[in-house]
């Protein structure tokens, strides 16, 4: 799997609203309407991550959920991270998170 460089990460993030980062990792914090919805988002992301065999770091703070993605085996951001970030965006939007 190929690591993305600064330009690759920057270009990929242009199509992923809310995400930021650099070649070491990308991150996004979503705000759910309430705590229970935040947990449902995490549950849905967990299922998607299992299916993709690629797992984000997740930090839950009441209605705010932060996702951090990096392909640890490769030492930084790869296409797997960009793809999962898009899935996370879709799932968060489906639950009304901003």
């Amino acid at each position: 799997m190929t690591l993305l460089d600064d330009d690759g990460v920057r270009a990929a993030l242009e199509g992923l609203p809310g995400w930021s980062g650099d070649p070491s990792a990308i991150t996004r914090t979503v705000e759910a309407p309430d705590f229970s919805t935040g947990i449902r988002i995490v549950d849905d992301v967990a299922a998607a991550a299992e299916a993709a065999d690629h797992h984000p770091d997740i930090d839950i703070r009441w209605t705010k959920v932060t996702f951090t993605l990096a392909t640890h085996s490769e030492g930084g951001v790869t296409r797997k991270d960009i793809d999962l970030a898009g899935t996370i965006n879709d799932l968060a939007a489906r639950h009304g998170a901003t």
Side-chain angles (χ1 to χ4, degrees):
M1 184 144 304
T2 303
L3 285 172
L4 298 178
D5 61 13
D6 280 320
D7 291 337
V9 170
R10 191 173 19 260
L13 293 180
E14 286 177 9
L16 291 169
W19 289 86
S20 62
D22 57 43
S24 65
I26 59 174
T27 189
R28 177 177 182 198
T29 299
V30 300
E31 183 146 8
D34 53 50
F35 181 75
S36 296
T37 302
I39 297 302
R40 284 193 295 277
I41 293 167
V42 170
D43 284 342
D44 287 353
V45 169
E50 281 292 304
D53 193 29
H54 191 60
H55 306 91
D57 293 332
I58 303 172
D59 182 58
I60 304 166
R61 307 288 170 140
W62 190 39
T63 60
K64 293 182 181 179
V65 182
T66 300
F67 299 95
T68 302
L69 296 167
T71 305
H72 301 290
S73 62
E74 299 297 324
V77 177
T78 67
R79 190 73 219 170
K80 275 186 119 171
D81 302 300
I82 301 306
D83 292 344
L84 187 54
T87 299
I88 291 169
N89 275 8
D90 292 344
L91 292 169
R94 197 174 307 157
H95 285 283
T98 56

